[in-house]
């Protein structure tokens, strides 16, 4: 496998850090950390550059908070200056890793969101043999279970610049002997890199044609029940032996009964958003949270749930965006 080197100086350059700030401030221009950084913009960029070049750079402590959707978890928000550094790293290395990811690994990639993942699974359902099955698996406490030593090895397979690998692993550091923090930009990339060997194992060694993964939720569609059971055992062995991971849950079910994936319920020729999303939508409409309701309408676009949601919005006086009025 070809490895890429001589990237560190690019990441540390003032030009790259300025571009990284432009990316980091998206959606945050009115937030205090961004405003404070921009007050002394030139000095802050020079300080980051000098610290990175000298090797003195260390990330600052995270700000922790809880979120409850889609489930309760702790988010570790980095300091703004550290977000800038991560964006500089990401811009340099993401193209390197994009070249090895399979086309049906969907999360945290430009153009590979929930809609495209659902479209792919819908196509798999529509072409699956009648009476065939699907296997759906999920990793137990995925981010908390990532072995940082194994992760470093996977990163080093593509990045031979050890200074850059050391810098990247600063953002993987976390409480305990395993796990990476949820909330870092690089954690999203690490999550993709860590399960990339699984993707290639399933596609190349197990020869599963209809396979997709969204973070740690993954599916094989259109095989027999016996093949599902065999595939599950082989995946369990691979996860334990190579990545130190275990499964949280598994589903073996007939394709004709539908599949829940990426927030959608899908059958042959039909797609709905999940019931809890409908409940959140109705609550948002009734409480006047137009922005939240509009976001959920976007999630329901191109599904059979949308007409009923638009009717509900109209009845309760929600101002429907013009993009939906013609639907």
């Amino acid at each position: 496998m070809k490895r890429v080197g001589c990237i560190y100086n690019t990441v540390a350059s003032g030009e790259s850090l300025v571009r990284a700030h432009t990316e980091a401030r998206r959606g945050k221009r009115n937030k205090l950390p961004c405003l404070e950084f921009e007050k002394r913009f030139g000095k802050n960029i020079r300080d980051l550059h000098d610290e990175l070049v000298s090797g003195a750079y260390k990330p600052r402590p995270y700000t922790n908070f809880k979120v409850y959707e889609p489930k309760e978890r702790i988010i570790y928000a980095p300091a703004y200056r550290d977000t800038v550094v991560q964006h500089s790293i990401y811009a340099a290395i993401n193209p390197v890793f994009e070249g090895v990811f399979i086309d049906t690994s969907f999360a945290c990639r430009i153009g590979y969101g929930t809609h495209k993942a659902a479209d792919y699974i819908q196509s798999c359902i529509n072409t699956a043999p009648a009476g065939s099955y699907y296997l759906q698996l999920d990793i137990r406490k995925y981010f908390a279970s990532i072995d940082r030593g194994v992760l470093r090895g996977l990163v080093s397979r593509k990045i031979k610049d050890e200074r850059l690998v050391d810098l990247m692993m600063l953002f993987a550091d976390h409480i305990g002997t395993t796990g990476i923090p949820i909330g870092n930009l690089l954690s999203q990339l690490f999550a993709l890199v860590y399960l990339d060997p699984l993707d290639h194992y399933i596609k190349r060694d197990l020869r599963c044609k209809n396979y997709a993964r969204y973070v740690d939720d993954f599916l094989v569609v259109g095989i027999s029940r016996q093949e599902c059971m065999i595939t599950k055992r082989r995946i369990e062995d691979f996860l334990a032996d190579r990545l130190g991971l275990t499964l949280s849950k598994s589903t073996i079910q007939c394709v004709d009964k539908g599949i829940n994936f990426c927030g959608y319920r899908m059958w042959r020729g039909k797609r709905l958003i999940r019931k809890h999303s409908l409940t959140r939508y109705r609550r948002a409409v009734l409480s006047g949270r137009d922005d939240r309701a509009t976001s959920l309408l976007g999630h329901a676009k191109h599904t059979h749930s949308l007409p009923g949601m638009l009717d509900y919005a109209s009845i309760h006086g929600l101002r429907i965006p013009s993009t939906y009025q013609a639907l």
Side-chain angles (χ1 to χ4, degrees):
M1 180 179 292
K2 185 178 179 180
R3 300 170 71 214
V4 179
C6 302
I7 306 177
Y8 189 90
N9 289 338
T10 299
V11 169
S13 70
E15 294 84 353
S16 180
L17 292 169
V18 169
R19 288 193 296 269
H21 161 67
T22 302
E23 292 297 318
R25 72 179 180 179
R26 292 183 186 274
K28 301 176 183 177
R29 298 195 67 171
N30 295 322
K31 301 291 185 181
L32 184 59
C34 180
L35 294 172
E36 291 291 339
F37 189 87
E38 289 185 328
K39 277 183 181 179
R40 307 182 70 185
F41 181 69
K43 181 180 185 304
N44 285 327
I45 292 295
R46 284 195 301 274
D47 287 348
L48 282 176
H49 168 74
D50 292 345
E51 290 174 28
L52 288 167
V53 170
S54 69
Y57 172 81
K58 293 291 186 294
R60 292 178 179 176
Y62 294 102
T63 299
N64 304 344
F65 59 92
K66 281 187 179 182
V67 297
Y68 299 92
E69 292 290 345
K71 58 185 177 182
E72 182 177 332
R73 52 187 177 166
I74 300 176
I75 301 298
Y76 296 85
Y80 184 80
R81 73 195 306 266
D82 299 325
T83 301
V84 171
V85 173
Q86 289 191 61
H87 273 281
S88 187
I89 297 170
Y90 186 84
I93 68 170
N94 187 54
V96 175
F97 287 102
E98 274 291 328
V100 300
F101 294 149
I102 66 170
D103 290 339
T104 55
S105 172
F106 288 100
C108 308
R109 300 171 67 189
I110 296 174
Y112 284 79
T114 55
H115 290 285
K116 186 168 183 178
D119 288 344
Y120 174 75
I121 291 300
Q122 186 87 63
S123 69
C124 292
I125 294 172
N126 292 339
T127 58
S132 63
Y133 284 74
Y134 71 90
L135 170 67
Q136 186 167 17
L137 303 171
D138 186 81
I139 305 295
R140 183 183 302 278
K141 297 181 178 179
Y142 177 45
F143 280 81
S145 301
I146 289 176
D147 185 311
R148 294 191 290 273
V150 174
L151 174 63
R152 184 184 180 104
L154 292 172
V155 171
S156 295
R157 289 177 64 189
K158 290 299 295 179
I159 307 295
K160 64 181 177 182
D161 188 330
E162 286 299 315
R163 291 184 72 195
L164 181 57
V165 175
D166 288 342
L167 177 63
M168 291 172 64
M169 294 307 295
L170 291 177
F171 296 104
D173 197 20
H174 198 40
I175 302 167
T177 56
T178 62
I180 61 175
I182 300 174
N184 274 333
L185 172 65
L186 289 183
S187 290
Q188 299 176 13
L189 181 60
F190 290 152
L192 284 169
V193 170
Y194 201 78
L195 283 182
D196 183 62
L198 173 68
D199 294 339
H200 288 278
Y201 174 71
I202 291 174
K203 292 293 289 183
R204 294 180 180 179
D205 295 325
L206 301 187
R207 299 187 179 278
C208 297
K209 180 180 178 182
N210 297 324
Y211 165 76
R213 177 169 66 86
Y214 194 91
V215 190
D216 62 331
D217 187 5
F218 50 104
L219 285 156
V220 177
V221 181
I223 58 179
S224 70
R225 182 177 178 83
Q226 183 178 10
E227 287 173 320
C228 284
M229 297 174 67
I230 294 171
T231 300
K232 179 191 172 187
R233 287 198 296 270
R234 296 186 68 179
I235 288 173
E236 284 181 308
D237 291 343
F238 182 90
L239 289 171
D241 295 343
R242 292 281 302 275
L243 302 174
L245 300 173
T246 58
L247 295 177
S248 170
K249 57 185 178 182
S250 64
T251 300
I252 297 175
Q253 185 61 270
C254 183
V255 172
D256 296 333
K257 293 187 176 181
I259 296 176
N260 285 339
F261 187 61
C262 288
Y264 298 99
R265 295 176 291 155
M266 292 174 280
W267 298 263
R268 296 184 192 273
K270 184 177 181 180
R271 187 188 309 178
L272 302 173
I273 65 170
R274 297 178 70 178
K275 291 180 180 179
H276 71 82
S277 295
L278 279 174
T279 300
R280 298 204 322 266
Y281 171 75
R282 290 170 183 145
R283 288 174 180 169
V285 171
L286 293 175
S287 62
R289 297 177 60 196
D290 292 6
D291 56 341
R292 181 59 176 155
T294 300
S295 174
L296 288 164
L297 283 175
H299 177 59
K301 202 169 184 179
H302 307 305
T303 75
H304 292 79
S305 300
L306 185 61
M309 294 170 70
L310 291 173
D311 289 343
Y312 191 85
S314 179
I315 291 170
H316 291 88
L318 174 71
R319 287 180 293 180
I320 301 172
S322 58
T323 52
Y324 299 102
Q325 290 176 0
L327 297 176

